[in-house]
Amino acid sequence: MANLTDIPDLEEEPGGPPKESFRLLLLGALGVVCGDIGTSPIYAFREALHAGVGHDALEREDIFGVISLIFWALMLVVTIKYIIFVLRADNNGEGGILSLMALVHEHVRKRKKWALALGVVGSSLFFGDSVIMPAMSVLSAIEGLEIVAPDLEAFIVPATVGVLLLLFSMQRFGTTRMSVVFGPVMLVWFLALGILGAWHIFDDMSILAALQPWYGASYVIYNPSIAFVVIGAVFLAVTGAEALYADLGHFGRNPIIAAWLVIAFPCLVLNYFGQGAFILTNGEAMANPFYQMVPEWALVPMIILATLATVIASQAVITGAFSMARQAVQLNILPRLEILHTSATTPGQIYVPRVNFILAALVLLLVIGFGRSSRLASAYGIAVAGNMLVTTLLLFIVMLRIWKWNIIIAFALTLAFSIVDLLFFSANLLKIREGAWVSIGLAALMGILVWTWLRGSRNLFRKTRKNEVALDLIVEKLLADEPPLIPGTAIFLTGDPERVPTALMHSLKHYKVLHEHNVILTVRTASRPRVRNKDRARVSQINKRFMLVTLRFGFMEQPNIPRALGLCRQLGWKFDMMTTSFFVSRRSIKSSPKSDMPHWQRKLFFTMAGSAMDATQYFQIPTDRVIEIGTQVVV
């Protein structure tokens, strides 16, 4: 039997961004990648001022210090760390914390568990960010209503709930049509930010002195009692930086760099400095400087534009959560979830109903529970800071193992990035009582789910392996003493190709017959985002009755077994779906009093396993060709 590596790439699925014009990719990157960080001016400067001076005394040095800290945070964290370094750590064109974890996991020989642990922690923190960001951004945008008319304050929360309900209810239809307007809307938004900020810089041009790092440093040195709190609020200006890396595969490195350096970064800087100059001449505008510096005639249009921008930013985070869930399922750190494709032409357009429902419920609870973006700001930030710290640690391994950098240079850069990350992370820890416990709680909950699934799956594999027989022994025995044969092909799905699949053993036991052709099929997830068709399968012939087939899919792909097996026809394997039966084991898991898992964790694992998507549907096997055989496993 020939090896499937000889198959030509008839349906190539390369990684990286789609082949579109650079301008379209830049516009798309602006709409999706820069959406989160692009809405930060609505609340970041306001919260930093309130953290430092409250609503009372206000000194010029305070404003200069806060603006300088915001500018250098954007410069160090986003421009230098993410744009120059992190974006280079792509996994065959894909980015994101799980993609980075898979890349590191592939290139380290020892301590693979540490790479997995860091990936789990980072993805758990990203989930916390995915919950808080939509609530925070949409709520802060709609709060502009109270500037228009104070009597509208009572409608802020209901209006926010309505917008979010509409947003989550539209996820099942996909974002293909909506994404066409994402880029243009965000371009208008950034231009509005830049023009508004540039106009108000002329209120007091001395604010430009805050470009000097000394103002930020002196603010921290001379205000040690409040500096840490202010730094935690300043971090709100860089939340969303992780999206630059997470969406690398959708747009590519160069369009993201151009979108940030040419449009997003300059407009954000202009707006922050404009807010600073406005406060210098209008100290009473500290309550909500972003909206208070908008001319009265443009206030309502600005609120509408800000709401659209925050909805787009929230959409990007929700889509990122869907993508992360799919990666987690493919990497087997979460049970199989129902994943629906919402576009026939764009593989990345997916909808995960269960994740969407959980996100919607948690986001609405936060909006109703906190009520104001100022209160919710305390909960926002720590998850992003933790994610950034994990990214730095994984990046260090990439520098050493993949880029082959000198250890001194790699360590020096990692130390510098880690100091900044730890500073922001520890500053946000001070806000635990005010709301940061929400982020930590959500991340911890996600971490417990992943840990439980990994631990339970490992125990299940061990128990199953003990009851299974070596494949070589059974194959030799069946060849020597062949049972009655029936025509056709039987494909037995298994996670361990060295052992006899449970479905095969039960089939022989109950039916006492053997198919003319038997395939032991194993599906593997590669550490790459996508696998080319020429690398999709490996086939080895054991004897005239049995063969081994291993199918490989990337962690960004949806497995399709029939389509992958269809490639085998080109090598002479007369694979015919109409004469093929798939045998799948359906496990019934029972609890064992001798388990090393505590009772609560066993119950949680059983619940997760019971809610997992059916293997037949997940692997897209025709249901009329599947035979399920039930087994019991005690864990």
Side-chain angles (χ1 to χ4, degrees), residues 120-129 131-132 334 362 382-383 436-452 600-601 604 608:
V120 170
V121 170
S123 58
S124 299
L125 290 168
F126 180 83
F127 176 75
D129 178 41
V131 174
I132 297 175
L334 281 179
L362 292 174
I382 192 169
W437 59 268
V438 175
S439 292
I440 297 175
L442 290 171
L445 177 61
M446 186 68 179
I448 289 173
L449 292 174
V450 172
W451 173 47
T452 299
W600 67 267
Q601 196 170 39
L604 179 58
M608 295 176 70

PDB file of all heavy atoms in Angstrom, residues 120-129 131-132 334 362 382-383 436-452 600-601 604 608:
ATOM      1  N   VAL A 120      -2.763  26.655  29.314  1.00  0.00           N
ATOM      2  CA  VAL A 120      -4.061  26.556  29.986  1.00  0.00           C
ATOM      3  C   VAL A 120      -4.331  27.808  30.806  1.00  0.00           C
ATOM      4  O   VAL A 120      -5.440  28.370  30.788  1.00  0.00           O
ATOM      5  CB  VAL A 120      -4.111  25.298  30.871  1.00  0.00           C
ATOM      6  CG1 VAL A 120      -5.354  25.328  31.768  1.00  0.00           C
ATOM      7  CG2 VAL A 120      -4.107  24.039  30.022  1.00  0.00           C
ATOM      8  N   VAL A 121      -3.320  28.277  31.536  1.00  0.00           N
ATOM      9  CA  VAL A 121      -3.481  29.496  32.350  1.00  0.00           C
ATOM     10  C   VAL A 121      -3.788  30.685  31.446  1.00  0.00           C
ATOM     11  O   VAL A 121      -4.699  31.482  31.719  1.00  0.00           O
ATOM     12  CB  VAL A 121      -2.205  29.758  33.182  1.00  0.00           C
ATOM     13  CG1 VAL A 121      -2.270  31.139  33.838  1.00  0.00           C
ATOM     14  CG2 VAL A 121      -2.040  28.692  34.255  1.00  0.00           C
ATOM     15  N   GLY A 122      -3.029  30.824  30.361  1.00  0.00           N
ATOM     16  CA  GLY A 122      -3.254  31.949  29.448  1.00  0.00           C
ATOM     17  C   GLY A 122      -4.622  31.929  28.809  1.00  0.00           C
ATOM     18  O   GLY A 122      -5.290  32.964  28.718  1.00  0.00           O
ATOM     19  N   SER A 123      -5.073  30.749  28.363  1.00  0.00           N
ATOM     20  CA  SER A 123      -6.392  30.651  27.731  1.00  0.00           C
ATOM     21  C   SER A 123      -7.509  30.888  28.745  1.00  0.00           C
ATOM     22  O   SER A 123      -8.546  31.469  28.413  1.00  0.00           O
ATOM     23  CB  SER A 123      -6.559  29.287  27.066  1.00  0.00           C
ATOM     24  OG  SER A 123      -6.400  28.241  28.000  1.00  0.00           O
ATOM     25  N   SER A 124      -7.303  30.456  29.987  1.00  0.00           N
ATOM     26  CA  SER A 124      -8.300  30.694  31.035  1.00  0.00           C
ATOM     27  C   SER A 124      -8.445  32.182  31.316  1.00  0.00           C
ATOM     28  O   SER A 124      -9.553  32.701  31.484  1.00  0.00           O
ATOM     29  CB  SER A 124      -7.903  29.949  32.311  1.00  0.00           C
ATOM     30  OG  SER A 124      -7.843  28.559  32.102  1.00  0.00           O
ATOM     31  N   LEU A 125      -7.316  32.887  31.340  1.00  0.00           N
ATOM     32  CA  LEU A 125      -7.354  34.331  31.559  1.00  0.00           C
ATOM     33  C   LEU A 125      -8.013  35.040  30.376  1.00  0.00           C
ATOM     34  O   LEU A 125      -8.733  36.027  30.547  1.00  0.00           O
ATOM     35  CB  LEU A 125      -5.930  34.857  31.766  1.00  0.00           C
ATOM     36  CG  LEU A 125      -5.267  34.438  33.080  1.00  0.00           C
ATOM     37  CD1 LEU A 125      -3.775  34.750  33.051  1.00  0.00           C
ATOM     38  CD2 LEU A 125      -5.932  35.125  34.277  1.00  0.00           C
ATOM     39  N   PHE A 126      -7.774  34.535  29.168  1.00  0.00           N
ATOM     40  CA  PHE A 126      -8.419  35.112  27.985  1.00  0.00           C
ATOM     41  C   PHE A 126      -9.937  34.970  28.075  1.00  0.00           C
ATOM     42  O   PHE A 126     -10.678  35.866  27.661  1.00  0.00           O
ATOM     43  CB  PHE A 126      -7.906  34.433  26.721  1.00  0.00           C
ATOM     44  CG  PHE A 126      -8.522  34.968  25.454  1.00  0.00           C
ATOM     45  CD1 PHE A 126      -8.030  36.111  24.854  1.00  0.00           C
ATOM     46  CD2 PHE A 126      -9.606  34.334  24.871  1.00  0.00           C
ATOM     47  CE1 PHE A 126      -8.605  36.609  23.694  1.00  0.00           C
ATOM     48  CE2 PHE A 126     -10.194  34.820  23.711  1.00  0.00           C
ATOM     49  CZ  PHE A 126      -9.687  35.965  23.122  1.00  0.00           C
ATOM     50  N   PHE A 127     -10.396  33.836  28.613  1.00  0.00           N
ATOM     51  CA  PHE A 127     -11.838  33.647  28.776  1.00  0.00           C
ATOM     52  C   PHE A 127     -12.417  34.704  29.717  1.00  0.00           C
ATOM     53  O   PHE A 127     -13.494  35.260  29.461  1.00  0.00           O
ATOM     54  CB  PHE A 127     -12.123  32.253  29.321  1.00  0.00           C
ATOM     55  CG  PHE A 127     -13.576  31.992  29.614  1.00  0.00           C
ATOM     56  CD1 PHE A 127     -14.477  31.771  28.594  1.00  0.00           C
ATOM     57  CD2 PHE A 127     -14.056  31.993  30.919  1.00  0.00           C
ATOM     58  CE1 PHE A 127     -15.825  31.551  28.862  1.00  0.00           C
ATOM     59  CE2 PHE A 127     -15.388  31.774  31.199  1.00  0.00           C
ATOM     60  CZ  PHE A 127     -16.277  31.553  30.164  1.00  0.00           C
ATOM     61  N   GLY A 128     -11.701  34.989  30.817  1.00  0.00           N
ATOM     62  CA  GLY A 128     -12.156  36.041  31.725  1.00  0.00           C
ATOM     63  C   GLY A 128     -12.244  37.388  31.039  1.00  0.00           C
ATOM     64  O   GLY A 128     -13.199  38.148  31.231  1.00  0.00           O
ATOM     65  N   ASP A 129     -11.271  37.684  30.179  1.00  0.00           N
ATOM     66  CA  ASP A 129     -11.286  38.925  29.414  1.00  0.00           C
ATOM     67  C   ASP A 129     -12.465  38.961  28.443  1.00  0.00           C
ATOM     68  O   ASP A 129     -13.097  39.998  28.238  1.00  0.00           O
ATOM     69  CB  ASP A 129      -9.964  39.056  28.659  1.00  0.00           C
ATOM     70  CG  ASP A 129      -9.910  40.300  27.787  1.00  0.00           C
ATOM     71  OD1 ASP A 129     -10.376  41.353  28.236  1.00  0.00           O
ATOM     72  OD2 ASP A 129      -9.406  40.214  26.652  1.00  0.00           O
ATOM     73  N   VAL A 131     -15.343  37.784  28.812  1.00  0.00           N
ATOM     74  CA  VAL A 131     -16.594  38.066  29.524  1.00  0.00           C
ATOM     75  C   VAL A 131     -16.686  39.535  29.908  1.00  0.00           C
ATOM     76  O   VAL A 131     -17.719  40.190  29.723  1.00  0.00           O
ATOM     77  CB  VAL A 131     -16.711  37.173  30.778  1.00  0.00           C
ATOM     78  CG1 VAL A 131     -17.928  37.572  31.603  1.00  0.00           C
ATOM     79  CG2 VAL A 131     -16.809  35.705  30.376  1.00  0.00           C
ATOM     80  N   ILE A 132     -15.590  40.086  30.423  1.00  0.00           N
ATOM     81  CA  ILE A 132     -15.632  41.433  30.994  1.00  0.00           C
ATOM     82  C   ILE A 132     -15.583  42.513  29.919  1.00  0.00           C
ATOM     83  O   ILE A 132     -16.251  43.546  30.028  1.00  0.00           O
ATOM     84  CB  ILE A 132     -14.476  41.619  31.992  1.00  0.00           C
ATOM     85  CG1 ILE A 132     -14.655  40.643  33.157  1.00  0.00           C
ATOM     86  CG2 ILE A 132     -14.416  43.044  32.513  1.00  0.00           C
ATOM     87  CD1 ILE A 132     -13.522  40.641  34.140  1.00  0.00           C
ATOM     88  N   LEU A 334     -10.452  20.336  26.276  1.00  0.00           N
ATOM     89  CA  LEU A 334     -11.872  20.485  26.590  1.00  0.00           C
ATOM     90  C   LEU A 334     -12.634  19.397  25.840  1.00  0.00           C
ATOM     91  O   LEU A 334     -12.156  18.895  24.815  1.00  0.00           O
ATOM     92  CB  LEU A 334     -12.392  21.868  26.169  1.00  0.00           C
ATOM     93  CG  LEU A 334     -12.085  23.058  27.073  1.00  0.00           C
ATOM     94  CD1 LEU A 334     -12.661  24.333  26.464  1.00  0.00           C
ATOM     95  CD2 LEU A 334     -12.605  22.868  28.490  1.00  0.00           C
ATOM     96  N   LEU A 362     -23.039  35.444  31.411  1.00  0.00           N
ATOM     97  CA  LEU A 362     -22.082  36.070  32.327  1.00  0.00           C
ATOM     98  C   LEU A 362     -21.951  37.569  32.061  1.00  0.00           C
ATOM     99  O   LEU A 362     -21.876  38.373  32.999  1.00  0.00           O
ATOM    100  CB  LEU A 362     -20.721  35.389  32.199  1.00  0.00           C
ATOM    101  CG  LEU A 362     -20.646  33.938  32.690  1.00  0.00           C
ATOM    102  CD1 LEU A 362     -19.291  33.339  32.381  1.00  0.00           C
ATOM    103  CD2 LEU A 362     -20.935  33.868  34.187  1.00  0.00           C
ATOM    104  N   ILE A 382      -6.873  42.612  35.038  1.00  0.00           N
ATOM    105  CA  ILE A 382      -5.993  41.607  35.629  1.00  0.00           C
ATOM    106  C   ILE A 382      -5.882  40.362  34.751  1.00  0.00           C
ATOM    107  O   ILE A 382      -4.818  39.735  34.650  1.00  0.00           O
ATOM    108  CB  ILE A 382      -6.481  41.233  37.061  1.00  0.00           C
ATOM    109  CG1 ILE A 382      -5.395  40.428  37.771  1.00  0.00           C
ATOM    110  CG2 ILE A 382      -7.802  40.486  37.015  1.00  0.00           C
ATOM    111  CD1 ILE A 382      -5.655  40.240  39.243  1.00  0.00           C
ATOM    112  N   ALA A 383      -6.989  40.009  34.075  1.00  0.00           N
ATOM    113  CA  ALA A 383      -6.946  38.841  33.190  1.00  0.00           C
ATOM    114  C   ALA A 383      -6.028  39.109  31.998  1.00  0.00           C
ATOM    115  O   ALA A 383      -5.242  38.243  31.595  1.00  0.00           O
ATOM    116  CB  ALA A 383      -8.354  38.490  32.707  1.00  0.00           C
ATOM    117  N   ALA A 436     -11.813  42.881  40.838  1.00  0.00           N
ATOM    118  CA  ALA A 436     -10.864  42.030  40.118  1.00  0.00           C
ATOM    119  C   ALA A 436     -11.065  40.554  40.437  1.00  0.00           C
ATOM    120  O   ALA A 436     -10.611  39.689  39.690  1.00  0.00           O
ATOM    121  CB  ALA A 436      -9.428  42.448  40.453  1.00  0.00           C
ATOM    122  N   TRP A 437     -11.766  40.282  41.552  1.00  0.00           N
ATOM    123  CA  TRP A 437     -12.047  38.890  41.902  1.00  0.00           C
ATOM    124  C   TRP A 437     -12.887  38.202  40.815  1.00  0.00           C
ATOM    125  O   TRP A 437     -12.852  36.966  40.677  1.00  0.00           O
ATOM    126  CB  TRP A 437     -12.784  38.819  43.240  1.00  0.00           C
ATOM    127  CG  TRP A 437     -14.090  39.559  43.272  1.00  0.00           C
ATOM    128  CD1 TRP A 437     -14.296  40.848  43.652  1.00  0.00           C
ATOM    129  CD2 TRP A 437     -15.375  39.049  42.889  1.00  0.00           C
ATOM    130  NE1 TRP A 437     -15.625  41.185  43.521  1.00  0.00           N
ATOM    131  CE2 TRP A 437     -16.309  40.096  43.064  1.00  0.00           C
ATOM    132  CE3 TRP A 437     -15.827  37.812  42.423  1.00  0.00           C
ATOM    133  CZ2 TRP A 437     -17.666  39.934  42.782  1.00  0.00           C
ATOM    134  CZ3 TRP A 437     -17.178  37.651  42.136  1.00  0.00           C
ATOM    135  CH2 TRP A 437     -18.076  38.710  42.325  1.00  0.00           C
ATOM    136  N   VAL A 438     -13.632  39.006  40.058  1.00  0.00           N
ATOM    137  CA  VAL A 438     -14.447  38.433  38.982  1.00  0.00           C
ATOM    138  C   VAL A 438     -13.551  37.791  37.929  1.00  0.00           C
ATOM    139  O   VAL A 438     -13.766  36.645  37.506  1.00  0.00           O
ATOM    140  CB  VAL A 438     -15.335  39.518  38.346  1.00  0.00           C
ATOM    141  CG1 VAL A 438     -16.083  38.953  37.139  1.00  0.00           C
ATOM    142  CG2 VAL A 438     -16.322  40.055  39.372  1.00  0.00           C
ATOM    143  N   SER A 439     -12.518  38.540  37.489  1.00  0.00           N
ATOM    144  CA  SER A 439     -11.597  38.005  36.488  1.00  0.00           C
ATOM    145  C   SER A 439     -10.894  36.761  37.000  1.00  0.00           C
ATOM    146  O   SER A 439     -10.785  35.746  36.292  1.00  0.00           O
ATOM    147  CB  SER A 439     -10.548  39.060  36.112  1.00  0.00           C
ATOM    148  OG  SER A 439     -11.143  40.124  35.422  1.00  0.00           O
ATOM    149  N   ILE A 440     -10.396  36.844  38.231  1.00  0.00           N
ATOM    150  CA  ILE A 440      -9.679  35.709  38.801  1.00  0.00           C
ATOM    151  C   ILE A 440     -10.604  34.513  38.957  1.00  0.00           C
ATOM    152  O   ILE A 440     -10.232  33.371  38.673  1.00  0.00           O
ATOM    153  CB  ILE A 440      -9.062  36.100  40.165  1.00  0.00           C
ATOM    154  CG1 ILE A 440      -8.027  37.204  39.965  1.00  0.00           C
ATOM    155  CG2 ILE A 440      -8.429  34.890  40.843  1.00  0.00           C
ATOM    156  CD1 ILE A 440      -7.438  37.737  41.246  1.00  0.00           C
ATOM    157  N   GLY A 441     -11.842  34.777  39.388  1.00  0.00           N
ATOM    158  CA  GLY A 441     -12.808  33.695  39.573  1.00  0.00           C
ATOM    159  C   GLY A 441     -13.156  33.009  38.257  1.00  0.00           C
ATOM    160  O   GLY A 441     -13.220  31.775  38.191  1.00  0.00           O
ATOM    161  N   LEU A 442     -13.376  33.807  37.201  1.00  0.00           N
ATOM    162  CA  LEU A 442     -13.704  33.229  35.892  1.00  0.00           C
ATOM    163  C   LEU A 442     -12.532  32.417  35.342  1.00  0.00           C
ATOM    164  O   LEU A 442     -12.720  31.320  34.800  1.00  0.00           O
ATOM    165  CB  LEU A 442     -14.078  34.337  34.914  1.00  0.00           C
ATOM    166  CG  LEU A 442     -15.408  35.051  35.172  1.00  0.00           C
ATOM    167  CD1 LEU A 442     -15.555  36.257  34.263  1.00  0.00           C
ATOM    168  CD2 LEU A 442     -16.579  34.097  34.976  1.00  0.00           C
ATOM    169  N   ALA A 443     -11.319  32.965  35.482  1.00  0.00           N
ATOM    170  CA  ALA A 443     -10.137  32.238  35.007  1.00  0.00           C
ATOM    171  C   ALA A 443      -9.937  30.953  35.803  1.00  0.00           C
ATOM    172  O   ALA A 443      -9.598  29.909  35.241  1.00  0.00           O
ATOM    173  CB  ALA A 443      -8.900  33.131  35.105  1.00  0.00           C
ATOM    174  N   ALA A 444     -10.151  31.031  37.131  1.00  0.00           N
ATOM    175  CA  ALA A 444      -9.996  29.835  37.971  1.00  0.00           C
ATOM    176  C   ALA A 444     -11.021  28.775  37.607  1.00  0.00           C
ATOM    177  O   ALA A 444     -10.706  27.576  37.556  1.00  0.00           O
ATOM    178  CB  ALA A 444     -10.123  30.223  39.445  1.00  0.00           C
ATOM    179  N   LEU A 445     -12.251  29.202  37.337  1.00  0.00           N
ATOM    180  CA  LEU A 445     -13.298  28.261  36.941  1.00  0.00           C
ATOM    181  C   LEU A 445     -12.926  27.566  35.639  1.00  0.00           C
ATOM    182  O   LEU A 445     -13.064  26.338  35.506  1.00  0.00           O
ATOM    183  CB  LEU A 445     -14.632  28.999  36.795  1.00  0.00           C
ATOM    184  CG  LEU A 445     -15.826  28.163  36.310  1.00  0.00           C
ATOM    185  CD1 LEU A 445     -16.126  27.033  37.292  1.00  0.00           C
ATOM    186  CD2 LEU A 445     -17.060  29.049  36.131  1.00  0.00           C
ATOM    187  N   MET A 446     -12.446  28.337  34.676  1.00  0.00           N
ATOM    188  CA  MET A 446     -12.027  27.765  33.403  1.00  0.00           C
ATOM    189  C   MET A 446     -10.864  26.809  33.610  1.00  0.00           C
ATOM    190  O   MET A 446     -10.815  25.722  33.024  1.00  0.00           O
ATOM    191  CB  MET A 446     -11.619  28.891  32.447  1.00  0.00           C
ATOM    192  CG  MET A 446     -11.301  28.424  31.038  1.00  0.00           C
ATOM    193  SD  MET A 446     -12.765  27.811  30.173  1.00  0.00           S
ATOM    194  CE  MET A 446     -12.047  27.378  28.599  1.00  0.00           C
ATOM    195  N   GLY A 447      -9.922  27.197  34.472  1.00  0.00           N
ATOM    196  CA  GLY A 447      -8.782  26.340  34.748  1.00  0.00           C
ATOM    197  C   GLY A 447      -9.181  25.027  35.394  1.00  0.00           C
ATOM    198  O   GLY A 447      -8.627  23.963  35.075  1.00  0.00           O
ATOM    199  N   ILE A 448     -10.163  25.068  36.291  1.00  0.00           N
ATOM    200  CA  ILE A 448     -10.649  23.847  36.954  1.00  0.00           C
ATOM    201  C   ILE A 448     -11.295  22.911  35.930  1.00  0.00           C
ATOM    202  O   ILE A 448     -11.107  21.694  35.975  1.00  0.00           O
ATOM    203  CB  ILE A 448     -11.641  24.214  38.075  1.00  0.00           C
ATOM    204  CG1 ILE A 448     -10.891  24.864  39.239  1.00  0.00           C
ATOM    205  CG2 ILE A 448     -12.406  22.979  38.558  1.00  0.00           C
ATOM    206  CD1 ILE A 448     -11.799  25.412  40.322  1.00  0.00           C
ATOM    207  N   LEU A 449     -12.069  23.483  35.012  1.00  0.00           N
ATOM    208  CA  LEU A 449     -12.703  22.665  33.979  1.00  0.00           C
ATOM    209  C   LEU A 449     -11.665  21.957  33.117  1.00  0.00           C
ATOM    210  O   LEU A 449     -11.784  20.755  32.840  1.00  0.00           O
ATOM    211  CB  LEU A 449     -13.614  23.528  33.107  1.00  0.00           C
ATOM    212  CG  LEU A 449     -14.877  24.090  33.767  1.00  0.00           C
ATOM    213  CD1 LEU A 449     -15.602  25.035  32.813  1.00  0.00           C
ATOM    214  CD2 LEU A 449     -15.802  22.974  34.207  1.00  0.00           C
ATOM    215  N   VAL A 450     -10.638  22.709  32.690  1.00  0.00           N
ATOM    216  CA  VAL A 450      -9.597  22.119  31.852  1.00  0.00           C
ATOM    217  C   VAL A 450      -8.820  21.058  32.626  1.00  0.00           C
ATOM    218  O   VAL A 450      -8.538  19.970  32.109  1.00  0.00           O
ATOM    219  CB  VAL A 450      -8.651  23.211  31.323  1.00  0.00           C
ATOM    220  CG1 VAL A 450      -7.453  22.585  30.603  1.00  0.00           C
ATOM    221  CG2 VAL A 450      -9.393  24.157  30.381  1.00  0.00           C
ATOM    222  N   TRP A 451      -8.446  21.385  33.861  1.00  0.00           N
ATOM    223  CA  TRP A 451      -7.703  20.439  34.699  1.00  0.00           C
ATOM    224  C   TRP A 451      -8.505  19.158  34.914  1.00  0.00           C
ATOM    225  O   TRP A 451      -7.973  18.044  34.822  1.00  0.00           O
ATOM    226  CB  TRP A 451      -7.361  21.097  36.037  1.00  0.00           C
ATOM    227  CG  TRP A 451      -6.751  20.179  37.050  1.00  0.00           C
ATOM    228  CD1 TRP A 451      -5.731  19.280  36.857  1.00  0.00           C
ATOM    229  CD2 TRP A 451      -7.127  20.056  38.426  1.00  0.00           C
ATOM    230  NE1 TRP A 451      -5.441  18.615  38.021  1.00  0.00           N
ATOM    231  CE2 TRP A 451      -6.276  19.070  39.011  1.00  0.00           C
ATOM    232  CE3 TRP A 451      -8.071  20.699  39.221  1.00  0.00           C
ATOM    233  CZ2 TRP A 451      -6.377  18.712  40.355  1.00  0.00           C
ATOM    234  CZ3 TRP A 451      -8.158  20.344  40.566  1.00  0.00           C
ATOM    235  CH2 TRP A 451      -7.323  19.359  41.112  1.00  0.00           C
ATOM    236  N   THR A 452      -9.784  19.314  35.184  1.00  0.00           N
ATOM    237  CA  THR A 452     -10.648  18.149  35.397  1.00  0.00           C
ATOM    238  C   THR A 452     -10.733  17.294  34.147  1.00  0.00           C
ATOM    239  O   THR A 452     -10.662  16.058  34.218  1.00  0.00           O
ATOM    240  CB  THR A 452     -12.055  18.610  35.827  1.00  0.00           C
ATOM    241  OG1 THR A 452     -11.962  19.326  37.062  1.00  0.00           O
ATOM    242  CG2 THR A 452     -12.998  17.427  35.991  1.00  0.00           C
ATOM    243  N   TRP A 600     -16.144  15.356  43.965  1.00  0.00           N
ATOM    244  CA  TRP A 600     -16.693  16.484  43.220  1.00  0.00           C
ATOM    245  C   TRP A 600     -16.096  16.557  41.818  1.00  0.00           C
ATOM    246  O   TRP A 600     -16.790  16.903  40.863  1.00  0.00           O
ATOM    247  CB  TRP A 600     -16.440  17.798  43.962  1.00  0.00           C
ATOM    248  CG  TRP A 600     -14.987  18.204  44.044  1.00  0.00           C
ATOM    249  CD1 TRP A 600     -14.095  17.928  45.042  1.00  0.00           C
ATOM    250  CD2 TRP A 600     -14.250  18.944  43.050  1.00  0.00           C
ATOM    251  NE1 TRP A 600     -12.853  18.453  44.752  1.00  0.00           N
ATOM    252  CE2 TRP A 600     -12.920  19.081  43.536  1.00  0.00           C
ATOM    253  CE3 TRP A 600     -14.576  19.494  41.805  1.00  0.00           C
ATOM    254  CZ2 TRP A 600     -11.922  19.754  42.834  1.00  0.00           C
ATOM    255  CZ3 TRP A 600     -13.587  20.159  41.102  1.00  0.00           C
ATOM    256  CH2 TRP A 600     -12.274  20.291  41.615  1.00  0.00           C
ATOM    257  N   GLN A 601     -14.801  16.205  41.708  1.00  0.00           N
ATOM    258  CA  GLN A 601     -14.151  16.289  40.404  1.00  0.00           C
ATOM    259  C   GLN A 601     -14.603  15.157  39.480  1.00  0.00           C
ATOM    260  O   GLN A 601     -14.746  15.351  38.275  1.00  0.00           O
ATOM    261  CB  GLN A 601     -12.630  16.253  40.565  1.00  0.00           C
ATOM    262  CG  GLN A 601     -11.895  16.708  39.320  1.00  0.00           C
ATOM    263  CD  GLN A 601     -10.415  16.898  39.568  1.00  0.00           C
ATOM    264  OE1 GLN A 601      -9.775  16.129  40.276  1.00  0.00           O
ATOM    265  NE2 GLN A 601      -9.843  17.955  38.981  1.00  0.00           N
ATOM    266  N   LEU A 604     -17.902  16.231  38.156  1.00  0.00           N
ATOM    267  CA  LEU A 604     -17.721  17.268  37.134  1.00  0.00           C
ATOM    268  C   LEU A 604     -17.242  16.650  35.823  1.00  0.00           C
ATOM    269  O   LEU A 604     -17.724  17.011  34.741  1.00  0.00           O
ATOM    270  CB  LEU A 604     -16.718  18.323  37.628  1.00  0.00           C
ATOM    271  CG  LEU A 604     -16.401  19.474  36.670  1.00  0.00           C
ATOM    272  CD1 LEU A 604     -17.667  20.231  36.303  1.00  0.00           C
ATOM    273  CD2 LEU A 604     -15.374  20.416  37.294  1.00  0.00           C
ATOM    274  N   MET A 608     -19.090  16.709  32.175  1.00  0.00           N
ATOM    275  CA  MET A 608     -18.446  17.208  30.968  1.00  0.00           C
ATOM    276  C   MET A 608     -18.430  16.134  29.877  1.00  0.00           C
ATOM    277  O   MET A 608     -18.692  16.418  28.700  1.00  0.00           O
ATOM    278  CB  MET A 608     -17.019  17.665  31.288  1.00  0.00           C
ATOM    279  CG  MET A 608     -16.945  18.859  32.226  1.00  0.00           C
ATOM    280  SD  MET A 608     -15.244  19.291  32.678  1.00  0.00           S
ATOM    281  CE  MET A 608     -14.637  19.949  31.124  1.00  0.00           C
TER     282      MET A 608
END
